[in-house]
Amino acid sequence: MYTPPEQAAYYLNGGIWDRQTLGDTLRSAAKHAPERIAFVCEGDRMSFGELDAKSERLACGLRALGLQVHDRAMFQMGTSIETVVALFACFKAGIVPVCSIPQYRELEIGKLAELTNPKAYFVQADAGGRFDLAKFASGMSERHQIPHLIVAGGAPDARGHALESLCESTAEFSALDTSGEFGCEDVVAFQLSGGSTGVPKVIPRFHAEYQSHVRSWCACYDMRDGHVGIWALPILHNAGMMFAIVRTVLFRATTVLMPQWDVERYFEAIEHERVQHAFTIGPHAPAIAAYPHVARHDLSSVRSLSTLMGAEAIERATGMPSINMFGITEGLVLTGTPESSMKARHGSVGMPCSPYDEVRLLHPGTDEEVQIGEAGELCFRGPSTLRGYYAAPEINAVSFTPDGFFRTGDLIRAAVIDGQIVYRFEGRMRDNINRGGEKFGTEDIEYLIARHPAIADGKVVAMPDPIYGEKACAFLIIRDGHKVPTVGELGEYLLAHGVAKFKLPERIEACDAFPTTRVGKLDRAHLRATIAGKIDEESVH
């Protein structure tokens, strides 16, 4: 859903939105700093000039295949320079990436394909570990009639095209002139949001608002032209797109990419590349804080490390100025700044980045605001706020207040620190699970569990985990005469039905019945409290 024309004009005329497309922003960076390194990845280095030229050739190659403006392209690629090139080629050609991840399987990719009707499928063959991702993508392309399969990092089958070959096949080319075909107000990418439906919801992000959103966020960290950042997470996530893709071209910055997480190499890269800005979430934060050899590394270049959890522990252990923050793909970032007091940086997730973002905390299920110090549902609106999920009218009907504030389902508490209102994350109202930054709902998993021959019914809830934040726990009611399946047996069953591995329950609790609320509804909060209590007891003994 597009921003209403009069509102878009206000943002553009007021300088709140950027007027360039992301492809043009790369072209500008290449013109002004062609030799500057844009991306570093496992020894490979690519300058802005090289990235601009290679992505331009690939954009021409995609057009030569017959792909058109506003066609969608499924992406299942890793954190690599090949992914960067493919993304910018799409941005330049007006093709809309559907930002999937290598961990998705038949269930997620199938439903996303049905929803977005992609005309191309980009896959990185070496991003799936032992899983043959290229073969999987070929099968899904055939099943869902996706005409063009484009493979990086491996040889395609007879149906596919090698990404490198598409780049080289257009050695003689003229830069695409798309000024009359699409502009800064058009969709640049489909991002995904984990939701209670079990399958991600599709979030359109736009050239103009996406860049302004990143600019306002990075301004909080005093980001400067040429500053070096490091990214060791999935690049196709919204946070990856913001920090590793958009930030790089906006600030003509260098980004160090780490396809595989390794805490020692992370510190080595910070030292070697003189990293100034870092970002981390989920399981990486405890590993950074627990790294035993910090003293071996010169970390003096680091100006800020932002994290969704664990800033205090990281700063105490490493000395790097660390900041807790909150981000949501639907269009809001809350954060402190390096100049904020430690109480604000570590004891809250900060404040809105943009002065045009409005935040309300409402009593759940109402439009009534809570008092400062009282937890309420985070609701917001602003220049980057989602206007509506793609092709989801039923969800959109309940996702906004009457005056256009997006309802997040997250519980937040406002506090006053150093004379300024800041926010503290309290938890979620909905039943999503956030496993190390991968958010997912439980509806589809529960549907499959209930079809297992040994299980009468099953409910899946989040359980606390010191590394990943949360993992999935399955409460099962077993049919008479059957045994409780092991975690491994249940996992094999779900994998066989196309569920992504990171969604699998990692603990099973057998029960005779599920708790209910006073009005007879399933009491998921009671289930979460039950497993949390058991884990607490086990940690004591």
PDB file of all heavy atoms in Angstrom, residues 22-41:
ATOM      1  N   LEU A  22      17.430   3.844  -4.913  1.00  0.00           N
ATOM      2  CA  LEU A  22      18.641   3.242  -4.358  1.00  0.00           C
ATOM      3  C   LEU A  22      19.684   2.971  -5.437  1.00  0.00           C
ATOM      4  O   LEU A  22      20.892   3.067  -5.196  1.00  0.00           O
ATOM      5  CB  LEU A  22      18.286   1.944  -3.628  1.00  0.00           C
ATOM      6  CG  LEU A  22      18.203   2.034  -2.113  1.00  0.00           C
ATOM      7  CD1 LEU A  22      17.714   0.727  -1.517  1.00  0.00           C
ATOM      8  CD2 LEU A  22      19.551   2.421  -1.516  1.00  0.00           C
ATOM      9  N   GLY A  23      19.233   2.641  -6.641  1.00  0.00           N
ATOM     10  CA  GLY A  23      20.169   2.454  -7.736  1.00  0.00           C
ATOM     11  C   GLY A  23      20.917   3.738  -8.049  1.00  0.00           C
ATOM     12  O   GLY A  23      22.135   3.733  -8.280  1.00  0.00           O
ATOM     13  N   ASP A  24      20.207   4.866  -8.051  1.00  0.00           N
ATOM     14  CA  ASP A  24      20.852   6.149  -8.303  1.00  0.00           C
ATOM     15  C   ASP A  24      21.776   6.549  -7.159  1.00  0.00           C
ATOM     16  O   ASP A  24      22.794   7.215  -7.378  1.00  0.00           O
ATOM     17  CB  ASP A  24      19.798   7.229  -8.530  1.00  0.00           C
ATOM     18  CG  ASP A  24      19.171   7.147  -9.911  1.00  0.00           C
ATOM     19  OD1 ASP A  24      19.806   6.562 -10.816  1.00  0.00           O
ATOM     20  OD2 ASP A  24      18.048   7.661 -10.095  1.00  0.00           O
ATOM     21  N   THR A  25      21.440   6.145  -5.929  1.00  0.00           N
ATOM     22  CA  THR A  25      22.323   6.440  -4.799  1.00  0.00           C
ATOM     23  C   THR A  25      23.649   5.702  -4.951  1.00  0.00           C
ATOM     24  O   THR A  25      24.720   6.245  -4.659  1.00  0.00           O
ATOM     25  CB  THR A  25      21.643   6.075  -3.470  1.00  0.00           C
ATOM     26  OG1 THR A  25      20.407   6.787  -3.359  1.00  0.00           O
ATOM     27  CG2 THR A  25      22.513   6.452  -2.290  1.00  0.00           C
ATOM     28  N   LEU A  26      23.602   4.454  -5.428  1.00  0.00           N
ATOM     29  CA  LEU A  26      24.848   3.734  -5.724  1.00  0.00           C
ATOM     30  C   LEU A  26      25.611   4.429  -6.846  1.00  0.00           C
ATOM     31  O   LEU A  26      26.840   4.598  -6.767  1.00  0.00           O
ATOM     32  CB  LEU A  26      24.552   2.283  -6.101  1.00  0.00           C
ATOM     33  CG  LEU A  26      25.745   1.493  -6.661  1.00  0.00           C
ATOM     34  CD1 LEU A  26      26.910   1.462  -5.682  1.00  0.00           C
ATOM     35  CD2 LEU A  26      25.312   0.075  -7.031  1.00  0.00           C
ATOM     36  N   ARG A  27      24.914   4.824  -7.903  1.00  0.00           N
ATOM     37  CA  ARG A  27      25.593   5.513  -9.005  1.00  0.00           C
ATOM     38  C   ARG A  27      26.295   6.779  -8.511  1.00  0.00           C
ATOM     39  O   ARG A  27      27.417   7.086  -8.926  1.00  0.00           O
ATOM     40  CB  ARG A  27      24.581   5.849 -10.098  1.00  0.00           C
ATOM     41  CG  ARG A  27      24.018   4.618 -10.816  1.00  0.00           C
ATOM     42  CD  ARG A  27      22.997   5.009 -11.873  1.00  0.00           C
ATOM     43  NE  ARG A  27      22.486   3.840 -12.574  1.00  0.00           N
ATOM     44  CZ  ARG A  27      21.202   3.462 -12.572  1.00  0.00           C
ATOM     45  NH1 ARG A  27      20.302   4.164 -11.880  1.00  0.00           N
ATOM     46  NH2 ARG A  27      20.817   2.394 -13.239  1.00  0.00           N
ATOM     47  N   SER A  28      25.648   7.506  -7.612  1.00  0.00           N
ATOM     48  CA  SER A  28      26.249   8.724  -7.059  1.00  0.00           C
ATOM     49  C   SER A  28      27.492   8.396  -6.234  1.00  0.00           C
ATOM     50  O   SER A  28      28.518   9.079  -6.331  1.00  0.00           O
ATOM     51  CB  SER A  28      25.221   9.465  -6.198  1.00  0.00           C
ATOM     52  OG  SER A  28      25.781  10.602  -5.597  1.00  0.00           O
ATOM     53  N   ALA A  29      27.395   7.330  -5.414  1.00  0.00           N
ATOM     54  CA  ALA A  29      28.552   6.928  -4.607  1.00  0.00           C
ATOM     55  C   ALA A  29      29.721   6.530  -5.505  1.00  0.00           C
ATOM     56  O   ALA A  29      30.883   6.867  -5.233  1.00  0.00           O
ATOM     57  CB  ALA A  29      28.173   5.777  -3.682  1.00  0.00           C
ATOM     58  N   ALA A  30      29.428   5.807  -6.588  1.00  0.00           N
ATOM     59  CA  ALA A  30      30.485   5.374  -7.502  1.00  0.00           C
ATOM     60  C   ALA A  30      31.103   6.557  -8.232  1.00  0.00           C
ATOM     61  O   ALA A  30      32.306   6.548  -8.539  1.00  0.00           O
ATOM     62  CB  ALA A  30      29.921   4.375  -8.510  1.00  0.00           C
ATOM     63  N   LYS A  31      30.314   7.571  -8.517  1.00  0.00           N
ATOM     64  CA  LYS A  31      30.833   8.756  -9.201  1.00  0.00           C
ATOM     65  C   LYS A  31      31.774   9.547  -8.301  1.00  0.00           C
ATOM     66  O   LYS A  31      32.825  10.025  -8.747  1.00  0.00           O
ATOM     67  CB  LYS A  31      29.665   9.641  -9.643  1.00  0.00           C
ATOM     68  CG  LYS A  31      30.086  10.928 -10.329  1.00  0.00           C
ATOM     69  CD  LYS A  31      28.869  11.760 -10.723  1.00  0.00           C
ATOM     70  CE  LYS A  31      29.297  13.075 -11.376  1.00  0.00           C
ATOM     71  NZ  LYS A  31      28.114  13.908 -11.749  1.00  0.00           N
ATOM     72  N   HIS A  32      31.420   9.674  -7.011  1.00  0.00           N
ATOM     73  CA  HIS A  32      32.194  10.503  -6.096  1.00  0.00           C
ATOM     74  C   HIS A  32      33.341   9.757  -5.417  1.00  0.00           C
ATOM     75  O   HIS A  32      34.321  10.373  -5.002  1.00  0.00           O
ATOM     76  CB  HIS A  32      31.263  11.120  -5.039  1.00  0.00           C
ATOM     77  CG  HIS A  32      30.362  12.180  -5.582  1.00  0.00           C
ATOM     78  ND1 HIS A  32      29.109  11.892  -6.069  1.00  0.00           N
ATOM     79  CD2 HIS A  32      30.550  13.520  -5.749  1.00  0.00           C
ATOM     80  CE1 HIS A  32      28.538  13.018  -6.493  1.00  0.00           C
ATOM     81  NE2 HIS A  32      29.383  14.007  -6.311  1.00  0.00           N
ATOM     82  N   ALA A  33      33.204   8.431  -5.269  1.00  0.00           N
ATOM     83  CA  ALA A  33      34.261   7.669  -4.587  1.00  0.00           C
ATOM     84  C   ALA A  33      34.441   6.318  -5.272  1.00  0.00           C
ATOM     85  O   ALA A  33      34.247   5.266  -4.653  1.00  0.00           O
ATOM     86  CB  ALA A  33      33.913   7.490  -3.113  1.00  0.00           C
ATOM     87  N   PRO A  34      34.811   6.308  -6.541  1.00  0.00           N
ATOM     88  CA  PRO A  34      34.834   5.051  -7.299  1.00  0.00           C
ATOM     89  C   PRO A  34      35.819   4.019  -6.769  1.00  0.00           C
ATOM     90  O   PRO A  34      35.574   2.810  -6.873  1.00  0.00           O
ATOM     91  CB  PRO A  34      35.223   5.502  -8.721  1.00  0.00           C
ATOM     92  CG  PRO A  34      35.917   6.817  -8.530  1.00  0.00           C
ATOM     93  CD  PRO A  34      35.235   7.453  -7.357  1.00  0.00           C
ATOM     94  N   GLU A  35      36.942   4.473  -6.197  1.00  0.00           N
ATOM     95  CA  GLU A  35      37.967   3.540  -5.738  1.00  0.00           C
ATOM     96  C   GLU A  35      37.764   3.099  -4.288  1.00  0.00           C
ATOM     97  O   GLU A  35      38.428   2.169  -3.827  1.00  0.00           O
ATOM     98  CB  GLU A  35      39.353   4.180  -5.870  1.00  0.00           C
ATOM     99  CG  GLU A  35      39.700   4.618  -7.288  1.00  0.00           C
ATOM    100  CD  GLU A  35      39.657   3.456  -8.262  1.00  0.00           C
ATOM    101  OE1 GLU A  35      40.080   2.349  -7.877  1.00  0.00           O
ATOM    102  OE2 GLU A  35      39.205   3.658  -9.409  1.00  0.00           O
ATOM    103  N   ARG A  36      36.878   3.773  -3.579  1.00  0.00           N
ATOM    104  CA  ARG A  36      36.661   3.423  -2.174  1.00  0.00           C
ATOM    105  C   ARG A  36      36.024   2.043  -2.079  1.00  0.00           C
ATOM    106  O   ARG A  36      35.140   1.692  -2.855  1.00  0.00           O
ATOM    107  CB  ARG A  36      35.770   4.466  -1.488  1.00  0.00           C
ATOM    108  CG  ARG A  36      35.583   4.220   0.017  1.00  0.00           C
ATOM    109  CD  ARG A  36      34.717   5.307   0.634  1.00  0.00           C
ATOM    110  NE  ARG A  36      35.379   6.611   0.558  1.00  0.00           N
ATOM    111  CZ  ARG A  36      34.782   7.768   0.861  1.00  0.00           C
ATOM    112  NH1 ARG A  36      33.517   7.765   1.258  1.00  0.00           N
ATOM    113  NH2 ARG A  36      35.445   8.907   0.763  1.00  0.00           N
ATOM    114  N   ILE A  37      36.453   1.262  -1.104  1.00  0.00           N
ATOM    115  CA  ILE A  37      35.918  -0.085  -0.921  1.00  0.00           C
ATOM    116  C   ILE A  37      34.518  -0.008  -0.318  1.00  0.00           C
ATOM    117  O   ILE A  37      34.308   0.617   0.719  1.00  0.00           O
ATOM    118  CB  ILE A  37      36.843  -0.934  -0.031  1.00  0.00           C
ATOM    119  CG1 ILE A  37      38.209  -1.106  -0.699  1.00  0.00           C
ATOM    120  CG2 ILE A  37      36.221  -2.299   0.255  1.00  0.00           C
ATOM    121  CD1 ILE A  37      38.159  -1.795  -2.060  1.00  0.00           C
ATOM    122  N   ALA A  38      33.574  -0.645  -0.993  1.00  0.00           N
ATOM    123  CA  ALA A  38      32.200  -0.698  -0.506  1.00  0.00           C
ATOM    124  C   ALA A  38      31.982  -1.911   0.393  1.00  0.00           C
ATOM    125  O   ALA A  38      31.396  -1.793   1.474  1.00  0.00           O
ATOM    126  CB  ALA A  38      31.224  -0.740  -1.679  1.00  0.00           C
ATOM    127  N   PHE A  39      32.466  -3.085  -0.048  1.00  0.00           N
ATOM    128  CA  PHE A  39      32.232  -4.315   0.704  1.00  0.00           C
ATOM    129  C   PHE A  39      33.500  -5.153   0.783  1.00  0.00           C
ATOM    130  O   PHE A  39      34.261  -5.253  -0.184  1.00  0.00           O
ATOM    131  CB  PHE A  39      31.105  -5.139   0.071  1.00  0.00           C
ATOM    132  CG  PHE A  39      29.753  -4.516   0.235  1.00  0.00           C
ATOM    133  CD1 PHE A  39      29.233  -3.680  -0.747  1.00  0.00           C
ATOM    134  CD2 PHE A  39      29.018  -4.732   1.388  1.00  0.00           C
ATOM    135  CE1 PHE A  39      28.000  -3.086  -0.580  1.00  0.00           C
ATOM    136  CE2 PHE A  39      27.781  -4.142   1.556  1.00  0.00           C
ATOM    137  CZ  PHE A  39      27.272  -3.311   0.572  1.00  0.00           C
ATOM    138  N   VAL A  40      33.691  -5.740   1.960  1.00  0.00           N
ATOM    139  CA  VAL A  40      34.771  -6.689   2.221  1.00  0.00           C
ATOM    140  C   VAL A  40      34.122  -7.983   2.679  1.00  0.00           C
ATOM    141  O   VAL A  40      33.252  -7.965   3.565  1.00  0.00           O
ATOM    142  CB  VAL A  40      35.730  -6.170   3.313  1.00  0.00           C
ATOM    143  CG1 VAL A  40      36.808  -7.206   3.614  1.00  0.00           C
ATOM    144  CG2 VAL A  40      36.337  -4.835   2.914  1.00  0.00           C
ATOM    145  N   CYS A  41      34.505  -9.105   2.082  1.00  0.00           N
ATOM    146  CA  CYS A  41      33.901 -10.381   2.477  1.00  0.00           C
ATOM    147  C   CYS A  41      34.911 -11.499   2.260  1.00  0.00           C
ATOM    148  O   CYS A  41      35.252 -11.822   1.111  1.00  0.00           O
ATOM    149  CB  CYS A  41      32.635 -10.647   1.673  1.00  0.00           C
ATOM    150  SG  CYS A  41      31.747 -12.140   2.168  1.00  0.00           S
TER     151      CYS A  41
END
